[in-house]
Amino acid sequence: VDRLSQTAAIFETKKSDARSTDPVTGDVSLSGSNRVRGFELSAAGSITPKWDIWAGFTYLDPKVLNYRNGDNDYSGKQIKFVAKQSASLWTTYKVHPQWTVGGGATYVGKRYVDDANELYLPSHTVYDAMIRYDVNKSLSFQLNGNNLTDERIYDASHVGLFANVGSGRSFMLTATYRYE
């Protein structure tokens, strides 16, 4: 291993004063609470002088501790819009002094979009790739291919009523000039 940094974290966050609705009056108050426990693992750096990697995995236990909306008590449910698991991996390899290739994957787990945990955005994995040509120290050209399998992804939802469809397969060519 040339230069590889690895990190790990275990955490818990609690939120008090979360929005809740009184079942009798219908008044919205800040009497709810939730908590997220989890851990994260990551690695970044060079495996060899030509091979770099960035990788990460996160596990979350997002739980509603106390939340009411009218007559419904959602305490104990999973917090909406938060995936329990996510991961990413990206790697590049310098195949020639002027040519670098790379690729990776990003995974996002299922996310509930309603308080009752009945409606959800499905999990998805997206694969990306790139190739870069370094003309000299100052000028380079890079072609990126994103979501190569054209996976249907949903990047957001509004109260479970509709979901935003994320970007499909796309390609982007960039030129970079560095002043020194």
Side-chain angles (χ1 to χ4, degrees), residues 27-159:
D27 292 339
V28 175
S29 67
L30 299 178
S31 61
S33 61
N34 57 44
R35 130 193 68 92
V36 178
R37 292 180 178 153
F39 68 89
E40 181 177 67
L41 305 171
S42 67
S46 299
I47 294 174
T48 71
K50 295 181 179 183
W51 185 15
D52 293 330
I53 188 168
W54 299 265
F57 172 78
T58 303
Y59 174 81
L60 303 174
D61 180 21
K63 191 172 196 175
V64 174
L65 299 176
N66 179 25
Y67 171 59
R68 296 189 64 91
N69 190 345
D71 292 331
N72 300 310
D73 185 356
Y74 297 110
S75 302
K77 298 291 187 179
Q78 183 174 321
I79 298 172
K80 60 186 174 185
F81 308 123
V82 179
K84 281 192 169 198
Q85 297 178 33
S86 62
S88 64
L89 170 67
W90 183 260
T91 185
T92 61
Y93 190 81
K94 190 170 276 293
V95 295
H96 180 273
Q98 291 178 288
W99 290 95
T100 302
V101 296
T106 302
Y107 169 80
V108 177
K110 174 173 79 173
R111 294 162 289 159
Y112 288 108
V113 295
D114 66 328
D115 295 322
N117 292 173
E118 294 172 354
L119 304 172
Y120 63 89
L121 301 176
S123 64
H124 65 266
T125 303
V126 174
Y127 301 95
D128 303 321
M130 60 75 74
I131 186 168
R132 183 179 67 234
Y133 177 70
D134 297 318
V135 177
N136 54 43
K137 285 180 13 181
S138 299
L139 179 63
S140 65
F141 296 96
Q142 183 168 315
L143 176 65
N144 285 68
N146 301 310
N147 193 0
L148 295 173
T149 59
D150 205 22
E151 178 81 13
R152 177 171 280 238
I153 60 174
Y154 301 95
D155 57 12
S157 175
H158 179 68
V159 197

